[in-house]
Amino acid sequence: MKRREALRILGTAASAQAVLPTVGLGDLMAWGHQVRSGLVPGERRTLEALSPARARAVVAVAEVIIPATDTPGATDAAVVDFVDVILAEWLDPADRDRVLEGVDDVDARARTLEGAAFDECSAEGQVRLVAELDAEAARRRRALDDGMPPHYFHDLRRFVLAGYFTSEVGMRALGYRIVPGAWESCVLLDEFAAGTGR
């Protein structure tokens, strides 16, 4: 049931622009809150599905997808913890294994291209490899009749984006006000009427 709910929420979330408009924000936030229910803000979680090497690769991939700029990046939003919860608790074993093998593939390709694990590659090498994986995932999506499961990078990217944009850090980066402004119960009507020409 958890897998079905996750797929329903994330079904069309292929990019940051797709995450928010195509899925009801309330559904996405409620699901993100449910996934994060076991996470303590500011405290590192003991990873269940990701080995240390895989976690380093996921952190590095997530930072390429959502780098820290003038706004916080994926690491600031503890995206790796979110991805680990999805892998450990929300996916069936076949899908989990497909994504984990994909993370291994990211490191294997990095070693072939630059002779190092993905997290140790140059920034240019990381961007180049992520772009290559993104193009492969897009080709797989377009080949709807091939009967193949989604490319692992398609899912990994969706998990990273959902983890970021359902976090407090991500919502603030979007300009979403997590806590509503103060409610003023007694305001003089003249303050509002003055600007209306009445």
Side-chain angles (χ1 to χ4, degrees):
M1 185 57 113
K2 281 184 167 186
R3 178 179 177 271
R4 185 174 296 151
E5 179 69 3
L7 293 176
R8 182 183 74 79
I9 298 292
L10 290 173
T12 57
S15 69
Q17 292 78 23
V19 170
L20 297 174
T22 58
V23 175
L25 184 57
D27 284 349
L28 184 64
M29 292 307 295
W31 178 74
H33 178 71
Q34 192 175 0
V35 171
R36 293 177 181 285
S37 64
L39 302 179
V40 178
E43 192 174 296
R44 286 310 314 259
R45 173 181 185 273
T46 301
L47 301 176
E48 295 176 32
L50 293 169
S51 67
R54 286 172 168 164
R56 288 191 300 274
V58 169
V59 166
V61 166
E63 277 297 320
V64 171
I65 295 170
I66 307 174
T69 56
D70 56 336
T71 58
T75 300
D76 300 306
V79 165
V80 70
D81 294 335
F82 185 89
V83 171
D84 187 71
V85 171
I86 291 175
L87 293 171
E89 300 176 15
W90 287 79
L91 296 184
D92 62 31
D95 284 332
R96 180 185 60 238
D97 292 346
R98 180 175 52 81
V99 174
L100 289 174
E101 288 167 10
V103 174
D104 292 341
D105 180 56
V106 171
D107 263 346
R109 289 183 190 210
R111 288 182 197 286
T112 299
L113 292 174
E114 293 207 0
F118 184 81
D119 64 299
E120 298 169 351
C121 288
S122 67
E124 296 81 14
Q126 289 179 344
V127 169
R128 187 171 51 250
L129 184 51
V130 165
E132 187 179 297
L133 292 168
D134 192 47
E136 285 179 21
R139 282 193 298 274
R140 174 81 60 88
R141 275 196 317 273
R142 285 192 297 270
L144 297 176
D145 55 63
D146 67 0
M148 298 285 288
H151 193 283
Y152 69 83
F153 188 74
H154 174 75
D155 287 333
L156 183 58
R157 183 183 54 205
R158 289 188 309 165
F159 302 156
V160 166
L161 291 169
Y164 184 78
F165 288 112
T166 61
S167 72
E168 187 174 336
V169 165
M171 294 305 288
R172 283 198 178 130
L174 286 173
Y176 183 79
R177 293 178 66 185
I178 307 239
V179 178
W183 181 64
E184 298 179 26
S185 61
C186 297
V187 177
L188 296 175
L189 216 44
D190 292 346
E191 292 179 26
F192 294 103
T196 62
R198 293 183 185 162

